[in-house]
Amino acid sequence: MKIVIDSGIPFIKGVFERYADVCYIPGAEMTNGDLLDADALVVRTRTRCDEALLRDTAVKIIATATIGTDHIDFDFCKKAGIYVQNASGCNAGGVMNYVFSALYGSASRRAIRLDNMVIGIIGVGNVGKRVEEMALRLGFSVLKCDPPRAEAEGSYGFVTMDELLRESNIVTMHVPLNDSTRGMCDFDFFAKMQPGAFFINAARGEIVDDDALIYSIPKLGPVIIDTWNNEPHVNLHLVEKVDIATPHIAGYSYQGKQNATAAVVKAIARFFSFTELFDYFPETDPDSGPIKLDLKRMSQGQVTSAFQYNFPIFTDDFLFRLNPSDFERMRLEYNYRREFFIE
């Protein structure tokens, strides 16, 4: 048996070696020839799993250490009999941390008070739910727009996109990338937002029309972007315009990476009946566990300091702006941060 694994996935080296021949290859460099005799493939978003890569291979399962699956051609995989498993919810805590560190940090830089503000969450899956929970604990009002959930569960608790954009002081994106979300943040979308409203995208770059966002920035408040069109070849003009720019690292927490690796290992183990790995979880550094924050009776400035201490987002922003062409290297060499939470 042979397993091909993206060499950028942490905590996984040595896990499968007793069960199979294991080959580690950078995700963006994998070729069809690498997979001809591979039974399993473990990837991240940088590997486009389509017919060109998978045709005439022996691959039976793809496990992706990501929430998103837009890099996988499900139609081809279904025809080829390839099972696909993602790491649903693995980095939800890390992305939530990113949103609030960026929100409070950018508000502090611009001397914006966050009292009585409304956060509009577009896409309320694993990440969106975590953002909602933190927002409510911090005293924000929350509006939620998630048409698939509203259709399945009923409209109670959800609002329309137009209502959310009209009423929210902060708009944060947490949708998957698909035909209905690609380019959804267009000229009309930004025109409907409140003047001075925050805009945060830590979902997928392709949901935003870059030209529309650049045009709308003078009207908006702080703009925070972690995911970009055409990664790693990002729009440098947009990088210059936004308040916070980071190289797709919102979910890069220590816990998130552990969760992702555990998910793909369990998926492969269950598919091939490696029973010893059914409950696998990477070893945890005692000094890397999640951090509990006590924010009771803290001022906005004190909350900002607590968030920045635990996730110094402006360091990531500064390093990215120094050399945006190092996008991939910064992701691969990122020093995973500890997640924080409040009760």
Side-chain angles (χ1 to χ4, degrees):
M1 176 177 289
K2 179 180 177 181
I3 302 175
V4 174
I5 300 176
D6 183 328
S7 59
I9 295 174
F11 311 120
I12 201 168
K13 288 185 178 176
V15 174
F16 288 119
E17 274 71 359
R18 62 179 292 193
Y19 305 96
D21 292 328
V22 183
C23 183
Y24 298 95
I25 303 172
E29 298 176 15
M30 289 183 186
T31 66
N32 177 261
D34 296 323
L35 305 181
L36 292 178
D37 58 347
D39 299 279
L41 177 61
V42 183
V43 298
R44 301 179 304 144
T45 56
R46 288 302 181 254
T47 304
R48 176 64 185 166
C49 299
D50 56 11
E51 183 175 2
L53 182 71
L54 299 166
R55 182 181 59 250
D56 299 327
T57 69
V59 172
K60 302 173 183 66
I61 176 174
I62 298 170
T64 180
T66 61
I67 292 177
T69 56
D70 47 278
H71 55 298
I72 297 174
D73 184 338
F74 278 89
D75 290 337
F76 176 79
C77 288
K78 184 176 181 180
K79 287 189 294 184
I82 300 173
Y83 178 74
V84 177
Q85 179 64 58
N86 71 330
S88 180
C90 64
N91 65 359
V95 177
M96 177 273 289
N97 288 174
Y98 177 93
V99 167
F100 287 96
S101 179
L103 172 60
Y104 276 79
S106 57
S108 177
R109 274 192 168 180
R110 290 216 199 177
I112 297 172
R113 296 296 306 171
L114 296 175
D115 303 322
N116 303 314
M117 283 202 172
V118 177
I119 292 183
I121 304 170
I122 301 179
V124 197
N126 287 304
V127 176
K129 289 175 184 175
R130 293 291 297 273
V131 172
E132 177 188 11
E133 292 168 2
M134 178 66 88
L136 292 172
R137 286 189 170 95
L138 290 168
F140 292 94
S141 298
V142 174
L143 293 176
K144 299 181 291 183
C145 178
D146 191 315
R149 280 192 61 192
E151 182 177 353
E153 303 168 21
S155 61
Y156 180 79
F158 298 99
V159 299
T160 65
M161 183 78 71
D162 284 358
E163 183 179 351
L164 183 146
L165 296 177
R166 183 176 64 249
E167 300 295 334
S168 298
N169 310 105
I170 302 154
V171 174
T172 183
M173 307 299 300
H174 302 290
V175 298
L177 179 63
N178 54 42
D179 290 342
S180 66
T181 63
R182 190 181 300 274
M184 67 184 295
C185 302
D186 55 14
F187 284 93
D188 184 59
F189 178 100
F190 292 117
K192 292 175 179 176
M193 287 180 61
Q194 291 187 20
F198 292 67
F199 178 73
I200 305 170
N201 183 24
R204 283 289 185 266
E206 293 85 352
I207 68 174
V208 174
D209 179 325
D210 284 357
D211 291 337
L213 178 54
I214 290 169
Y215 176 83
S216 304
I217 280 175
K219 164 196 170 176
L220 299 175
V223 173
I224 297 148
I225 303 294
D226 181 60
T227 54
W228 308 80
N229 280 291
N230 304 312
E231 293 179 8
H233 308 294
V234 302
N235 185 327
L236 297 181
H237 186 44
L238 181 58
V239 171
E240 294 172 357
K241 292 283 187 181
V242 303
D243 290 72
I244 295 178
T246 50
H248 201 156
I249 48 77
Y252 275 32
S253 68
Y254 188 87
Q255 287 71 36
K257 290 301 180 180
Q258 284 185 309
N259 292 338
T261 298
V264 296
V265 169
K266 290 175 183 177
I268 300 294
R270 293 183 184 279
F271 191 87
F272 292 111
S273 298
F274 302 155
T275 56
E276 296 91 342
L277 296 176
F278 279 8
D279 297 316
Y280 170 82
F281 196 82
E283 291 187 10
T284 300
D285 183 337
D287 296 324
S288 298
I291 302 162
K292 179 182 175 181
L293 300 181
D294 184 0
L295 304 182
K296 298 183 183 69
R297 294 179 295 279
M298 279 192 181
S299 68
Q300 179 177 319
Q302 290 170 322
V303 172
T304 301
S305 296
F307 286 168
Q308 295 300 308
Y309 179 80
N310 288 287
F311 181 0
I313 196 167
F314 289 116
T315 300
D316 291 338
D317 170 81
F318 173 75
L319 293 174
F320 179 44
R321 291 179 192 275
L322 278 179
N323 194 353
S325 64
D326 268 357
F327 193 96
E328 289 294 81
R329 183 189 61 78
M330 283 185 276
R331 298 184 82 218
L332 286 170
E333 298 177 4
Y334 191 77
N335 185 22
Y336 305 133
R337 60 190 184 270
R338 298 166 67 185
E339 290 183 12
F340 61 78
F341 68 97
I342 61 174
E343 293 182 346

